[in-house]
Structure formats: structure tokens, C-alpha cells
Amino acid sequence: MTASVDSPFRTDQTASLSPALKQATPVVVEHAQGSWIHGTDGRDYLDFTTGIGVTSTGHCHPHVVAAAQAQCAKVIHAQYTTVMHPPLLELTRRLGGVLPQGLDSVFYANSGSEAVEAAIRLARMATGKPNIIVFQGGFHGRTVAAASLTTAGTRFSAGFSPLMSGVHMAPFPYAFRYGWDTDAAVDFALRELDYLLQSRVAPNDTAAFLIEPVLGDGGYLPTPPRFLQGLRERSDRHGILFILDEVQAGFGRTGRFWGHQHAEGLIPDILVTAKGLASGFPISAIAAPTELMSKAWPGSQGGTYGGNAVAAAAAIATLEVIENENLVENARVRGEQLLDGLREVCARHAGVGDVRGLGLMAGIEFVTTDASGASVPDAAAALAVQQATTEQGLLTLTCGPAANVVRLIPALVVTAEEIDLGVARFGAALDAALG
């Protein structure tokens, strides 16, 4: 007699999403196309969040969809340390045409956090040094090591100590916060970095500097080109590797293909990319010179899903769309239009302290005054405006260590008409939230 086995499929329990997940909007997506999300509530929303900068060519770009569909019919998963597949080989070849000169070796992972950790692992292995210097306000991920490198807010690193050791923080040239002009902020931040290298973190013990060309969760702050060039000079002088986290700022978003290219002639030692790389499919990468990448220890690079065939096919299609539709230039022009429009509608509200950005990364910082008359972050105003934009049919997000910045991240395919509409809706949200 064969013993009966209870079915593993039960009907006496359901599950729900973790209560720790907090949604920025109440929208449930029915379908999406280009810059628009169509909700199950029957409303159409202009999406200026793009999955936090992920859907670079807009939602469901036909060319990207066709490439992914075609690849799904061939092979979905071909684990790349077991067998190789043409999409990954072709993607690697094509990335060579857009990567900075000399960064000719690529390793693939799934997320920005994984790629950041791969970059840090490589830097420590290649140099034999333990320390990493990051900059105040940087966001590099949520896994333990990546969160240890993140200073964009305590919410990313609190509650699960101990964090990874060997991480040291230097000031970022946040001119608005200090009340200075950009040059004064850059001079201060470089002086403090030099002092850190003299007083606490010896260059001979330091593997790398790690910075974003535009702070993401840290408040949508463009890193001044002179500061990036100052880091490059110190990297060369002290034998410290220079890592650029282009997870959010890369792939055309700032009006140059890579965010660091606004600092003319700058080339990093290691570049990290993800988010907009495949228009919504999960894939990330680091790039470095072959000589440097060869210093990674055997077995230190790999992963089950890294370089997935469908994601790689979508990434190839994304590169084709960006080139064929001239989207880097569109990001530059539409970004200027966006900032001009935002500055105009924000000028009538005293609670807006700063409007800033680079390409299609725009941040609006809200401030108020305390009892002494000093300017302080106003997170309540930022949240009120962000919620009001949803009511106006425009999706936005907040960011910044104090959560007092509203960020707008349109797709690279956004049109002039959609920018004008987005600015008008943002202005209406300001009026509704702030009066």
C-alpha cells in the first residue's frame, strides 16, 4: 500500500507583502506605455519616477519588448559561468563602444547593490588595501556591504549592525546646505578630504574613492566637475582607485551618456552601471581595464542570474533605441526645459529653497525656518507636494537625508509636450499643497 502524501498546495492561508514596504503612491498599474502609467483606477498618470530611473526608454518600448520576446523563445536562462549565450557576448561588444576609454573588461550582476559590492571587492583585491572613502549623501545600495557605503540617510543602514568595516566618509560639496557658492563648497570638501587622509585614513591603507556623479537618494545633487577632477588627481597621486557609481546617473540620463562626462577628460578606474541599462530588466555591470579586472581572485565573480539572456537582449535593444532616437541629446534638451519650467513655477513659493538637476534628474528642495530664523529641511512640505502631484496625475518621489527633496525622473523618451504638462501639474500640486 502506498502512503498518501498531503498536497503542498494549501487553501487555508494567504500571504501579503511585507509591512516594511512603503508605497510612495496608491497607484496600481494596469498597463504602461512610454511616459504614461494607466492605473486600475481608470486614471492616466504621467510617470516622472520611471521605476527610480530604470525604464530609461519609457515603459514597454516596442523595440525592447520585441527583443525580449524573441529571446524568450530561444533561451531564458543560460548561467554564464556554465555556458555562454550570444546576447551577453553581443552586449559586451556593444558596451565597448560607450564605455570610457580603457575600461574594456566587464562583469555582470543583477542589481546596483551587487555591482557596487563587486567593485569594492575588486578594489580591495587589486590593491591589497582595506579602506574605502565615500562621500556624505551617497547612496550605493541596501545589502549589508552596500548599505555600509551609503550615507544618504540612516534608514538604509540602521538596525542591523555591525556594518562592514573599513568605510570612511568625507564631506560632499553641498553648496546649498552650507550656504556657499559652488567653488567655496568644492574647496572646503577637497580640504577636508586631504585632512581625512592626513588624520584618519592613510592613503597607503586606502583602496578606493567611491562617489556618484549625481547624488541619487542623497538629494539629486550634481557633483561639481571640479570636485570629481580633484578626486581623480588625488587618486593618481596616492595610488587610490577611483570608482564612479553610475547606477542612476548613467545611460544618458544627465544629457551625457555617463554622468561623469560633464567633467571633461575624466576617466574612472571602475565604473558601476545598472538601472537604465535594460529598460526595466534586472541587469547590472562593472567595467574596468582588463589589467585591473584580472586582479580579481579566482571565484570572486559570478552569480546565478548575472547576465541573464533576456535582460542582455533588452540591454542591447536599449542601446539601439538610445542611439537611434538620439535620446542622450533629448535628455539634455528636455532636462533644460524641465529645470527652466520648475524654477518658474517654484519661484512663487517661499518654501522652495533650491531647484537643481542635470539632464532628466531634477530635485526641488523644501525648507522652512526654525525658532532662531535658521533655514532647516521641511520634509512635511516635500511629502505634501509629492502626494499632491499624484492627485494631479503626475508621479514623483522624495529623497534626501531629511526626505525634504522631491525628485523628478522622466524617461529619456519624454517629449516637450509631456515636460510642459509635467511642469504644469507640478505647479498645481505646489499651489494645492503649499497655498
Side-chain angles (χ1 to χ4, degrees), residues 301-380:
Q301 294 181 346
T304 301
Y305 295 105
N308 172 268
V310 179
I316 294 168
T318 297
L319 280 169
E320 291 170 344
V321 171
I322 290 173
E323 180 178 11
N324 294 339
E325 299 186 14
N326 201 23
L327 294 188
V328 177
E329 175 64 7
N330 191 62
R332 184 189 69 80
V333 175
R334 298 284 76 80
E336 292 176 356
Q337 177 190 355
L338 176 62
L339 281 177
D340 287 345
L342 288 172
R343 287 177 176 134
E344 183 176 345
V345 298
C346 288
R348 60 180 181 264
H349 292 279
V352 176
D354 193 26
V355 180
R356 56 182 178 250
L358 196 59
L360 292 173
M361 298 180 75
I364 302 92
E365 181 162 357
F366 292 86
V367 294
T368 187
T369 53
D370 62 14
S372 69
S375 177
V376 294
D378 192 347

Side-chain angles (χ1 to χ4, degrees), residues 96-121:
V98 294
L99 284 167
Q101 187 68 36
L103 274 64
D104 57 356
S105 184
V106 183
F107 164 68
Y108 295 95
N110 306 290
S111 68
S113 295
E114 288 178 85
V116 165
E117 294 201 15
I120 295 305
R121 187 183 301 116

Side-chain angles (χ1 to χ4, degrees), residues 123-140:
R124 284 176 163 175
M125 288 177 174
T127 64
K129 302 174 184 180
N131 292 325
I132 308 294
I133 295 178
V134 297
F135 297 86
Q136 199 163 35
F139 179 84
H140 304 292

